[in-house]
Amino acid sequence: MGTASSKSESDVIISSSTALETTLTDANRSSSVNNSACPYKDPGNDKSKKGGGFMGCPVQHNKKNKNGITKYNEEEKQKKEALSYKNVYSQDISQVNNMPSQANQLPAPQQEEELSTERIPSTIPKIDGKDKWVYPSPQMFYNALVRKNKLDDDTTEEDMESVVALHNNMNERTWKQVLEWEKISGYNENCRLLKFMGRPSELSPKARLKHYLLGHPLPFDRHDWTIVREDGMKVRYVIDYYHDDTKSSEEEGSGMPSLTDKVESLLVDVRPAIDSPLEFYQRAIALPYALYLSKEKTELEILPLRPSPTLETQVEESQNVWENVINSKTTVEGQLPGEFKITKEEAKELAIHFGIALQECEASQNKVSNCHSDMECQQAALDVLQCYGKLWCPLQHKALLKSLNDTSEEGKFEAALDHLNMCVISTQSRMGEARIEYPTVWEKVPHIKED
């Protein structure tokens, strides 16, 4: 998408803030063979090759070391298997997150522009230590926004490449800070990311203190990352993300950072959660020593508790972003987002499209009126849907035709057909509203038959 690369980072960073929780977890639903309920895959386990079942997970939640930290023990595996199940499209569903195990790369029902389905690998190692986590494509990111009802006038399809680039850059920077903390804590950098959780609507204790007692802006997002150290210890990190609009670059292309670019307007506060006395020691003793006494230089970014003069002016804006996060309502995947008021120009365009469809699809519509058997009527209805879809929803129609020859993913055709159907229904609904709101517009368009 050429238009996205010309945008500045300030154009998209705040508009995408509530979307940034959709990262590594959503992007890797299809990364494990046979929908393993655990991030670890043992290639030597023959059970994983039979019947699409789950393997036992080696994460033992009741095992703790002397520091009170849960250990990841690959030798003690749960033996209980959980069967996978399928949704209405015959797609395998993961019992970890109740989402399709294959990544959704189909255009959303109301999507108008084609988005890239290319995914790029991160530098963050997965739990097996061999593979890397893979970032979502712009299409996957857009679908996640639709599913969570977080699309608005400030987040458009043409912004997706820029949003994903900033999202990936932010995660790479977070991982770099996690590694710096591991070095300060006396561990090596051979840790791996076990799991990730976006918690944008929950303020961390530190963020709450900074805002309510010291007048600091609120973070626009919060993540919790759980890593596994080389000795098997699991450690949770808390990350607060802030945005300083005064540091946003307005240069052309600044909204498309690489994985390693430093985005100055993004402020990342990474620290281990105080889940045991060891983490308290690391934050209270090890950190000050590394910053002020150690001869080895650390690249850890430490954000001050008090806001800078420029951040003090952005408190109200951060509160507005926070309110938007709290008020956003999650919808079921596939549910159509809320409608917007129809303008007169849009009504004219809808009327023209409707008139063309009456002509182009008249033969298909007659088949529905004259069909007799159930099979004949079903085929006629499908013909009408494809005719309307080709005219009104070209992107979804193209995806449907493409899915006919795609045997790599079970249920993809059914899902594509449902997306096309929802797009046609939504367009018909808009046309009905437009005809009621602007009846004189529709009277002037040829080929419109009165009811």
Side-chain angles (χ1 to χ4, degrees):
M1 304 293 294
T3 55
S5 61
S6 63
K7 284 181 172 286
S8 68
E9 66 186 63
S10 61
D11 290 332
V12 296
I13 194 166
I14 282 296
S15 65
S16 65
S17 62
T18 58
L20 293 176
E21 64 182 283
T22 309
T23 82
L24 302 175
T25 301
D26 274 0
N28 289 276
R29 290 172 188 148
S30 59
S31 60
S32 297
V33 177
N34 292 332
N35 310 324
S36 172
C38 178
Y40 176 77
K41 170 74 169 62
D42 182 0
N45 191 334
D46 290 335
K47 292 182 179 180
S48 65
K49 300 179 182 179
K50 298 179 181 180
F54 292 112
M55 327 177 337
C57 181
V59 180
Q60 302 298 316
H61 300 286
N62 58 348
K63 300 292 183 181
K64 294 180 178 287
N65 63 11
K66 61 182 180 180
N67 295 313
I69 299 177
T70 305
K71 295 196 68 174
Y72 179 93
N73 192 337
E74 294 183 358
E75 296 179 355
E76 298 180 16
K77 298 178 181 178
Q78 296 177 352
K79 300 230 177 155
K80 182 178 179 182
E81 293 185 351
L83 297 176
S84 62
Y85 61 99
K86 299 179 183 293
N87 64 8
V88 294
Y89 306 126
S90 298
Q91 295 172 308
D92 288 324
I93 298 298
S94 169
Q95 291 195 5
V96 178
N97 51 24
N98 289 324
M99 298 303 298
S101 298
Q102 294 292 327
N104 180 12
Q105 296 273 35
L106 292 171
Q110 291 184 313
Q111 183 178 330
E112 297 180 355
E113 297 186 26
E114 190 168 5
L115 295 174
S116 170
T117 58
E118 181 183 1
R119 302 171 64 185
I120 63 173
S122 72
T123 64
I124 306 173
K126 299 176 72 173
I127 198 62
D128 59 9
K130 300 177 182 178
D131 299 323
K132 306 292 186 183
W133 290 88
V134 183
Y135 287 123
S137 68
Q139 183 64 68
M140 292 169 63
F141 208 102
Y142 185 83
N143 289 342
L145 292 177
V146 172
R147 186 179 71 249
K148 298 180 180 182
N149 198 28
K150 291 182 178 178
L151 281 180
D152 52 37
D153 294 336
D154 296 325
T155 307
T156 63
E157 294 165 22
E158 67 177 9
D159 291 332
M160 282 303 102
E161 286 198 16
S162 183
V163 169
V164 170
L166 286 164
H167 159 272
N168 298 349
N169 175 278
M170 188 178 78
N171 280 290
E172 292 293 321
R173 186 168 165 187
T174 299
W175 183 248
K176 183 179 179 181
Q177 294 302 297
V178 168
L179 296 182
E180 286 297 315
W181 262 107
E182 289 297 291
K183 288 168 58 178
I184 289 175
S185 303
Y187 296 90
N188 59 38
E189 298 182 5
N190 294 330
C191 56
R192 297 149 288 165
L193 180 61
L194 174 63
K195 62 181 180 179
F196 157 91
M197 179 179 293
R199 304 174 66 180
S201 60
E202 300 178 44
L203 285 179
S204 67
K206 184 177 180 181
R208 192 180 300 275
L209 180 148
K210 291 173 65 173
H211 177 68
Y212 291 107
L213 294 184
L214 302 176
H216 196 285
L218 291 164
F220 66 81
D221 203 0
R222 171 191 170 177
H223 292 176
D224 281 18
W225 291 19
T226 300
I227 68 164
V228 177
R229 289 174 175 158
E230 196 171 31
D231 63 357
M233 286 192 298
K234 291 202 303 184
V235 181
R236 179 171 65 98
Y237 276 85
V238 178
I239 307 102
D240 288 321
Y241 296 98
Y242 298 89
H243 178 248
D244 186 350
D245 190 58
T246 61
K247 294 183 178 181
S248 295
S249 173
E250 299 298 334
E251 295 182 5
E252 183 175 341
S254 63
M256 290 290 293
S258 69
L259 294 181
T260 57
D261 287 343
K262 178 72 176 292
V263 181
E264 296 294 338
S265 60
L266 275 177
L267 309 179
V268 185
D269 189 356
V270 181
R271 67 276 186 192
I274 304 179
D275 293 333
S276 76
L278 179 60
E279 278 80 36
F280 178 81
Y281 169 82
Q282 290 169 353
R283 290 174 62 169
I285 306 298
L287 177 60
Y289 179 83
L291 292 176
Y292 305 113
L293 299 177
S294 176
K295 296 180 180 180
E296 296 185 10
K297 185 179 179 181
T298 178
E299 297 183 11
L300 185 67
E301 301 175 16
I302 303 298
L303 301 184
L305 292 175
R306 293 185 177 277
S308 64
T310 56
L311 282 176
E312 286 181 343
T313 65
Q314 302 175 55
V315 173
E316 183 177 356
E317 182 182 357
S318 75
Q319 291 172 335
N320 293 334
V321 172
W322 169 255
E323 289 178 2
N324 289 336
V325 172
I326 297 299
N327 294 332
S328 64
K329 296 180 180 179
T330 303
T331 59
V332 179
E333 183 171 14
Q335 181 175 338
L336 294 175
E339 302 292 355
F340 301 96
K341 184 174 177 59
I342 298 175
T343 65
K344 189 172 183 178
E345 290 302 316
E346 184 184 2
K348 290 180 181 179
E349 185 176 351
L350 288 170
I352 293 173
H353 287 174
F354 183 72
I356 294 173
L358 284 180
Q359 278 194 319
E360 296 290 329
C361 303
E362 184 176 4
S364 298
Q365 192 68 55
N366 289 336
K367 289 182 181 179
V368 174
S369 302
N370 300 320
C371 66
H372 300 287
S373 67
D374 289 343
M375 182 66 70
E376 186 181 358
C377 290
Q378 288 177 9
Q379 183 59 52
L382 182 59
D383 289 344
V384 171
L385 174 63
Q386 290 196 71
C387 185
Y388 286 153
K390 185 177 181 180
L391 296 171
W392 297 342
C393 310
L395 195 61
Q396 290 73 14
H397 183 262
K398 179 182 176 181
L400 177 67
L401 297 181
K402 188 177 179 180
S403 69
L404 287 171
N405 300 318
D406 188 354
T407 59
S408 62
E409 183 181 339
E410 187 178 8
K412 188 171 184 178
F413 172 77
E414 288 82 359
L417 182 62
D418 190 55
H419 281 206
L420 179 63
N421 185 45
M422 292 177 66
C423 179
V424 169
I425 291 174
S426 175
T427 304
Q428 288 177 327
S429 175
R430 296 286 284 170
M431 288 177 173
E433 293 176 12
R435 193 170 183 178
I436 294 173
E437 187 74 19
Y438 304 97
T440 57
V441 169
W442 287 68
E443 292 172 359
K444 297 178 182 180
V445 178
H447 314 303
I448 301 288
K449 299 178 180 179
E450 293 298 332
D451 294 333

